[in-house]
Amino acid sequence: MRRQVLRVKGCFAGSKTENLLEQGDMGHEIELLVGTDLRDGNGTTRAINWCGCIVQDPHPAVRALGFLPEEGHGVYVARWCHGSSVHQYGLYALQWIVEVNGKPTPSLDAFVDVTKTIEHGEFVRIRTVHLNGKPRVLTLKQDLQYWPTWELRFDLETATWRCKTVKALDSGVL
């Protein structure tokens, strides 16, 4: 009979195993009732462009790394644009925005609710947590003239992307 040892390579952040197992666990035999997590396989279906950065739910590759900030993980900065407000003030990809002006942003809906109240030219305090776990606070100035807030949503029924303006200088909140 051949003996085998199983070792935990990692846990998907936000999964049911996250609090039961840790990377590198191995040893004596134990029984755990974990259950399964539902994954729809759709990938990114919603993204928001705010001040020149693209925020979204963390995609599976990020979650597979096994880290999500304790504060909430719904607004992951996936990309930023050169010359934008976020670029000028130093907000880059690979981090989560966990607070805007002292208000928690644990989800994309919460993030939109907070940011649509911010006016053109207003300074905004952002608290972030980097993919490596390092927290940071920075301030940036919202520029709705050149960097309006808009949202992309994938419609599963029609298999099309829809773009909607959330807030711009000339149109206000929609």
Side-chain angles (χ1 to χ4, degrees), residues 132-151:
N132 63 15
K134 184 178 177 182
R136 184 172 168 225
V137 176
L138 64 122
T139 302
L140 62 87
K141 186 176 182 180
Q142 178 160 272
D143 180 352
L144 292 172
Q145 181 174 355
Y146 296 105
W147 301 99
T149 304
W150 48 266
E151 173 185 51

Side-chain angles (χ1 to χ4, degrees), residues 1-171:
M1 182 168 137
R2 189 176 116 179
R3 294 180 181 240
Q4 294 182 5
V5 175
L6 297 176
R7 181 178 62 89
V8 176
K9 185 173 180 179
C11 295
F12 204 74
S15 69
K16 294 178 181 177
T17 60
E18 180 181 41
N19 296 320
L20 297 174
L21 302 169
E22 291 187 27
Q23 183 175 352
D25 275 354
M26 63 182 225
H28 65 280
E29 183 177 324
I30 59 170
E31 277 191 39
L32 292 174
L33 181 59
V34 177
T36 56
D37 290 294
L38 179 63
R39 305 279 176 241
D40 61 19
N42 290 326
T44 300
T45 58
R46 184 180 181 200
I48 297 171
N49 183 308
W50 177 72
C51 292
C53 71
I54 302 292
V55 294
Q56 65 180 62
D57 288 325
H59 44 83
V62 171
R63 294 182 60 192
L65 294 173
F67 174 76
L68 291 174
E70 294 175 12
E71 296 87 346
H73 56 275
V75 280
Y76 179 73
V77 180
R79 191 79 181 123
W80 54 272
C81 299
H82 287 277
S84 67
S85 300
V86 296
H87 177 230
Q88 291 174 3
Y89 292 94
L91 176 64
Y92 300 111
L94 303 178
Q95 53 192 316
W96 285 263
I97 299 173
V98 295
E99 274 184 20
V100 175
N101 286 340
K103 296 178 182 160
T105 55
S107 68
L108 287 171
D109 288 332
F111 181 79
V112 169
D113 289 344
V114 171
T115 58
K116 72 181 178 185
T117 66
I118 301 166
E119 298 302 326
H120 173 72
E122 191 175 325
F123 281 94
V124 184
R125 193 179 81 235
I126 307 296
R127 193 161 74 84
T128 67
V129 176
H130 193 274
L131 187 61
N132 63 15
K134 184 178 177 182
R136 184 172 168 225
V137 176
L138 64 122
T139 302
L140 62 87
K141 186 176 182 180
Q142 178 160 272
D143 180 352
L144 292 172
Q145 181 174 355
Y146 296 105
W147 301 99
T149 304
W150 48 266
E151 173 185 51
L152 279 175
R153 275 190 194 245
F154 186 72
D155 184 338
L156 293 170
E157 299 287 321
T158 61
T160 57
W161 286 93
R162 301 192 189 278
C163 184
K164 174 181 126 184
T165 300
V166 175
K167 186 166 188 164
L169 185 59
D170 57 347
S171 65

